[in-house]
Amino acid sequence: MAASLQIREFIETDREAVIALWTACELVRPWNDPNKDIDRKLAHSPAGLLVALLEDQIVGVVMVGYDGHRGWVNYLASEPNNRRAGIGRALMDAAEAHLLELGCPKVNLQIRASNDQVVAFYRQIEYAQDNVLSMGRRLIPDG
């Protein structure tokens, strides 16, 4: 599959398929409006929203950003029926390449601790758990 997989920047006509994929992968939460997340990303750094296509169908997506100190990976998703086919790895390779082009020295991501499959995926591609506590505070409610 890797040979026929294409990765490119998001275009507006991808929106519905991207949100459907995020929903199928259980990444959408009631407190996060995916349309607003896409709009915010496009307003800030659109080159960091990447989609993976197989035969012109979106089968993966990743949102990547760099704040000048660290890179961040969000919303990595691959089509559930095509798991273990290299889509997630290809998207992470593209995300890391994008960050390297920006001069980013380190990448971080957050995973729900209960998501054993995703934790195993990242460990397999040489990510390690940092000894940090992730904290957050919502400044703009989506709901």
Side-chain angles (χ1 to χ4, degrees):
M1 175 183 300
S4 58
L5 188 70
Q6 295 179 333
I7 297 177
R8 64 160 168 77
E9 289 181 27
F10 172 94
I11 56 175
E12 188 56 42
T13 55
D14 298 334
R15 186 180 292 258
E16 185 177 318
V18 164
I19 293 172
L21 181 57
W22 285 342
T23 302
C25 293
E26 300 179 4
L27 296 177
V28 175
R29 294 293 184 255
W31 54 87
N32 282 85
D33 180 332
N35 277 297
K36 288 181 180 178
D37 286 343
I38 290 171
D39 291 342
R40 291 174 184 135
K41 182 62 182 168
L42 295 177
H44 182 265
S45 53
L49 185 52
L50 305 173
V51 295
L53 297 116
L54 189 59
E55 297 177 11
D56 295 324
Q57 283 203 306
I58 293 176
V59 294
V61 62
V62 66
M63 186 183 291
V64 59
Y66 178 48
D67 61 18
H69 177 66
R70 296 226 165 113
W72 287 93
V73 172
N74 297 289
Y75 277 127
L76 174 69
S78 65
E79 207 279 317
N81 292 329
N82 283 314
R83 294 263 164 88
R84 306 188 75 65
I87 297 167
R89 178 60 191 248
L91 282 164
M92 285 302 294
D93 288 347
E96 290 174 0
H98 175 72
L99 290 169
L100 281 170
E101 287 177 17
L102 298 173
C104 177
K106 184 178 192 291
V107 61
N108 285 85
L109 49 89
Q110 296 177 320
I111 308 166
R112 289 182 188 89
S114 62
N115 198 335
D116 295 332
Q117 279 187 314
V118 173
V119 171
F121 165 76
Y122 283 111
R123 284 192 174 135
Q124 182 182 11
I125 62 170
E126 300 180 12
Y127 278 70
Q129 184 174 341
D130 288 337
N131 190 20
V132 297
L133 174 65
S134 177
M135 298 178 75
R137 178 175 180 242
R138 183 163 281 286
L139 298 175
I140 301 172
D142 280 1

